[in-house]
Amino acid sequence: MTACSPSVSNDAVPILLFNGSGTSPNDVKAVETVLKDSHLAYATVNSQQLNGMSEAQLMAYRLMIVPGGNYITIANSLTTGTATNIHNAVQGGLNYLGICAGGLLAGNAISNSPNLTLGARVGFYAEVNKGIHKAAVAIAGAGTPAMEHYWEDGPQFTGWGAVVGKYPDGTPAIVEGTSGKGWVILCGVHPEAPENWRRGMTFTTPATVANAYAATLIDAALHGTSLPHY
C-alpha cells in the first residue's frame, strides 16, 4: 500500500520512495513491485515534495530509497538545502538504499549530493568505458554463488563501505556501511529488474531469483542489517 502524503509517517509507513525528476518511471515501478510483494508499506515523494520536507520529517521514516535514472537530473531537481537535510537525516539515523543512480547520488561527485559516502567519490563500472551500456552481469557475493543481474550504466563503489558483491573485474558492485547513525546500502545493478527488461540478453539467474535478492537488500536497508561481505 502507498501512503498519500509523504509528510505524515509512522511505523506503519516506514519507507520513503523517491520518484521525482530524473528517476526512471520503470525502475520506480519495479521497486514498488518488490515492496508490494514484500508487503512493505511505503510513501512516494517527488522532487517538489522532497524539497518541502524538513530534516525532522525525513527522520520520521526508517528508510529512504532512491532508484535508478539520471543522477545529475535527480540532483538538479533538489535544492542545496534538501541535500543537506537528507545528509543530516541519515547522520541522525535514517537508513538509505541507493540503486544505480541512487548510488551515484550518494557519492561526493556532484552539487546537491547528500554526500553519504563522506567524501568518497563514486565512479562507473568499467564496461561503460567500452561503450557497453546494458548487460547481464555476474555479481559475486561473499561465500555465495555468483548471481546475474541486469546492469545499465551503473556505478562501482571503490573506496567506500564493506563489499557485499563484486563485478567480474573485482570492483565493488554492492556495498554497505554506516553514515553517521544511518545504515546505507548502495547497489550498482538492478536486482529489481522485471523479466521484460531482459529482452535480447541471456541470463543464467531467473528474474524471480534476482527480484528476491532485491527484497533482501530492501529488508537489510530497512532494518540496518549487515549482509555477508568480503
Side-chain angles (χ1 to χ4, degrees), residues 13-142:
V13 186
I15 297 171
L16 186 64
L17 172 63
F18 179 68
N19 66 353
S21 300
T23 58
S24 161
N26 287 334
D27 199 35
V28 172
K29 182 178 178 181
V31 173
E32 287 187 294
T33 297
V34 175
L35 290 170
K36 290 172 183 175
D37 288 347
S38 301
H39 307 290
L40 291 172
Y42 65 96
T44 56
V45 62
N46 62 30
S47 302
Q48 182 179 5
Q49 291 168 326
L50 186 57
N51 285 331
M53 291 181 70
S54 67
E55 178 185 329
Q57 286 174 315
L58 287 170
M59 289 190 67
Y61 295 88
R62 291 168 59 190
L63 171 65
M64 181 177 186
I65 301 176
V66 179
N70 185 314
Y71 77 104
I72 295 175
T73 304
I74 293 173
N76 288 340
S77 78
L78 304 177
T79 67
T80 301
T82 299
T84 299
N85 284 342
I86 295 170
H87 174 88
N88 290 343
V90 172
Q91 299 309 293
L94 173 68
N95 296 339
Y96 180 96
L97 172 61
I99 302 170
C100 198
L104 283 159
L105 185 73
N108 182 28
I110 50 173
S111 60
N112 294 349
S113 163
N115 187 19
L116 304 181
T117 58
L118 305 183
R121 291 184 176 271
V122 174
F124 287 93
Y125 175 44
E127 294 296 278
V128 170
N129 299 327
K130 301 175 184 177
I132 299 170
H133 299 287
K134 296 180 182 180
V137 178
I139 304 300

